[in-house]
Amino acid sequence: MSLADWKAVFEKWNLLHYQNDDASHDIYHFRRVANNAFHIASNYPEESVDKFVLLAAAYFHDVVNLPKDHPRRKEASKLSAEKAGKILTDLGVSSEKIPGVQHAILTHSFSAKIEPKTIEAKILQDADRIDSFGTVGVLRALYVAGRLGRSLFDTSDPLAHKRPLDDQKFSLDHLETKIMIMPKSLKTDYGKNIAEPRVEIVKTFRDLLAKEILSGKHDSLMQVADTFFEAGKQKKFLFHPEDPFAISRKKNKGLYAMDHLLSIDGLSWMFSSLKDELRHH
Ligand SMILES: [Fe+2]
């Protein structure tokens, strides 16, 4: 079977069996991770990266997805690797491919703290992390904060100048922690290149939102924060996967958080980054 055939098989499996109301870890996340991974892999010589391993790992890396506040959260990547092995065997994948997929899944997460040894594992880890940056990353983080019932920010000290960062409590602190960790966490130079402008987007969002908070003039960034925070509580989708800006469809605010923002002025820099981030689809 070709890679495209396998992709269709993995898509179908996820659509039929993967049940999760967490829109920050839905099939669209798997597709974006697969796209990021293939984009990174395209910089390596053709035969040096096993694209099948990359594809399978991208589609099943979060197959056991435990919320960030779940007691067994640290085991999620191990459980995903085990489950992915079973699924791939059932789907008829050759047994020699499975350990490579499992290694990539096992090592991809921050919390597992296991070094990725293969090129596929390094690429998957970067591809997954890249989805935490840029406009997609900001929107996912706000969504998760709403979902977990965190606070958006510390009203009196949003940038944590006079207090320690607390990323368990404040969504804006979580973005800050990510910005700090990013440069040393990525494993491939190509991943770093993709991540760089996306980190700038996160910083810009953080700075502009903090400005709005401190000035008391709640403007476009506050609307972004509120909308996606609420979407996390209400378990909406982040945005329409094929047409996020509702160019050839009707807006559906009940389903897609992004649809609330499309008529707000001053967000074009975020939207153009999002367009770029989704371009490889
Ligand atoms: Fe992921």
Side-chain angles (χ1 to χ4, degrees), residues 109-264:
S109 83
F110 265 116
S111 40
K113 294 199 173 84
I114 309 170
E115 271 302 296
K117 290 196 178 77
T118 61
I119 186 64
E120 294 82 9
K122 288 175 188 168
I123 293 175
L124 178 78
Q125 196 183 74
D126 281 10
D128 185 48
R129 282 177 197 181
I130 287 167
D131 204 44
S132 300
F133 298 109
T135 297
V136 172
V138 168
L139 303 181
R140 288 178 76 214
L142 296 166
Y143 174 95
V144 169
R147 213 181 130 81
L148 295 178
R150 284 182 186 148
S151 302
L152 272 175
F153 44 76
D154 180 342
T155 319
S156 58
D157 186 10
L159 294 180
H161 290 313
K162 293 178 202 127
R163 59 172 177 86
L165 285 169
D166 187 349
D167 62 357
Q168 293 301 309
K169 196 168 175 193
F170 301 115
S171 166
L172 205 56
D173 286 20
H174 183 64
L175 292 183
E176 185 69 37
T177 325
K178 276 205 280 194
I179 296 166
M180 292 189 316
I181 290 173
M182 192 311 281
K184 46 188 177 215
S185 89
L186 291 187
K187 295 284 186 302
T188 69
D189 289 340
Y190 303 108
K192 284 180 187 158
N193 286 343
I194 301 174
E196 219 170 276
R198 298 194 193 187
V199 173
E200 288 308 312
I201 292 287
V202 180
K203 284 184 186 165
T204 307
F205 177 85
R206 171 202 62 183
D207 292 347
L208 293 177
L209 180 62
K211 220 176 189 176
E212 287 188 19
I213 297 163
L214 292 171
S215 72
K217 187 174 167 278
H218 291 181
D219 215 336
S220 55
L221 278 297
M222 192 65 89
Q223 292 193 53
V224 174
D226 279 342
T227 300
F228 278 80
F229 191 76
E230 279 305 312
K233 286 190 195 162
Q234 294 168 17
K235 300 184 174 134
K236 289 181 186 174
F237 290 105
L238 301 177
F239 44 80
H240 188 291
E242 274 94 38
D243 187 6
F245 306 110
I247 290 161
S248 47
R249 64 175 176 89
K250 264 194 176 160
K251 283 186 205 167
N252 186 339
K253 293 184 182 177
L255 210 51
Y256 303 110
M258 175 62 96
D259 287 10
H260 288 266
L261 305 178
L262 296 176
S263 49
I264 296 175

